[in-house]
């Protein structure tokens, strides 16, 4: 019964470790996607800002580049949101909402205005100062989300280390207990069976 209980506890610790590993991997993958998102939306924002400040009609190759970047960032965002929701970490809710508001709620409409003007072969009427005033906070919000995920990764690493330390201590204690139990059983066998046999043999020899 004791051995069965020890096996159950070790199994529970192992399952807990597997869950922790999976959470760490999800966080790591999520942070990688957010960093990629920051790179892509930064490139898109820089491209559009340069065209806006030039005052010239946007060239077709620049428009194509901007649309490709838009598609890639949208695809990443569609992966990021459900990943954050599945993790259900309170610390990520506010940064995610800020990205939603500043990047997709404020900056994207201005970028759409620029792209629509380019598609009609017209110069956008948007002022570069207004665009930059919106784009900088939007890009910073993505960095803040990546930083929040990074902090959760550090916390998860600490929890994983402490859990591994507990598992090691418990395993050593379990081994010591099993060895002690085995020694006790040997002593009991010696006392109940071997010693009486030795006494009988000694009497016979006498």
């Amino acid at each position: 019964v004791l051995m069965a209980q020890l096996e159950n506890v070790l199994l529970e610790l192992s399952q807990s470790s597997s869950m922790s590993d999976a959470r760490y991997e999800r966080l790591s993958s999520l942070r990688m996607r957010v960093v990629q998102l920051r790179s892509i939306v930064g490139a898109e924002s820089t491209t559009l800002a340069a065209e806006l400040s030039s005052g010239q009609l946007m060239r077709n190759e620049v428009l194509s580049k901007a649309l490709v970047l838009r598609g890639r960032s949208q695809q990443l965002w569609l992966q990021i949101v459900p990943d954050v929701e599945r993790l259900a970490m309170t610390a990520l809710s506010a940064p995610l909402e800020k990205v939603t508001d500043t990047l997709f709620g404020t900056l994207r409409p201005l970028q759409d205005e620029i792209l629509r003007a380019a598609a009609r072969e017209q110069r956008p009427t948007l002022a570069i100062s207004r665009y930059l005033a919106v784009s900088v906070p939007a890009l910073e919000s993505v960095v803040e989300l990546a930083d929040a995920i990074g902090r959760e990764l550090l916390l998860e690493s600490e929890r994983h280390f402490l859990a591994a330390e507990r598992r090691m201590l418990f395993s050593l204690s379990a081994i010591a207990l099993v060895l002690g139990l085995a020694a006790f059983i040997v002593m009991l066998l010696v006392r109940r069976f071997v010693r009486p046999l030795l006494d009988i043999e000694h009497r016979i020899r006498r």
Side-chain angles (χ1 to χ4, degrees), residues 83-134:
D83 282 350
V84 173
E85 292 175 349
R86 276 193 295 269
L87 285 166
M89 292 180 169
T90 306
L92 302 183
S93 298
L96 181 71
E97 184 176 351
K98 187 174 182 180
V99 175
T100 303
D101 291 342
T102 58
L103 177 59
F104 294 94
T106 307
L107 178 60
R108 275 293 160 87
L110 297 184
Q111 292 177 331
D112 290 341
E113 181 180 335
I114 299 172
L115 294 174
R116 282 195 299 268
R120 294 192 298 264
E121 297 184 352
Q122 296 176 351
R123 295 183 180 86
T125 58
L126 180 66
I128 183 64
S129 58
R130 182 187 172 200
Y131 180 82
L132 293 177
V134 171

Side-chain angles (χ1 to χ4, degrees), residues 185-196:
I185 292 173
V186 170
M187 291 176 58
L188 185 64
L189 290 173
V190 169
R191 182 174 297 178
R192 294 191 60 181
F193 299 103
V194 178
R195 186 172 294 174

Side-chain angles (χ1 to χ4, degrees), residues 50-94:
E51 290 299 312
L52 191 62
S53 63
S54 71
Q56 303 297 318
L57 290 175
M58 185 181 295
R59 292 162 296 165
N60 289 334
E61 59 268 24
V62 176
L63 176 59
S64 297
K65 177 184 176 182
L67 292 175
V68 169
L69 292 171
R70 168 64 62 87
R72 290 173 59 191
S73 64
Q74 191 65 32
Q75 184 179 16
L76 278 171
W77 185 246
L78 292 176
Q79 296 173 353
I80 290 170
V81 173
D83 282 350
V84 173
E85 292 175 349
R86 276 193 295 269
L87 285 166
M89 292 180 169
T90 306
L92 302 183
S93 298

Side-chain angles (χ1 to χ4, degrees), residues 124-168:
T125 58
L126 180 66
I128 183 64
S129 58
R130 182 187 172 200
Y131 180 82
L132 293 177
V134 171
S135 65
V136 172
L139 298 178
E140 287 179 349
S141 71
V142 183
V143 175
E144 290 173 8
L145 177 58
D147 289 343
I149 298 170
R151 288 191 292 271
E152 290 301 312
L153 272 171
L154 288 176
L155 291 174
E156 196 64 35
S157 297
E158 292 175 1
R159 285 192 289 266
H160 185 70
F161 175 78
L162 292 174
E165 189 177 40
R166 285 196 299 269
R167 288 196 303 275
M168 183 182 69

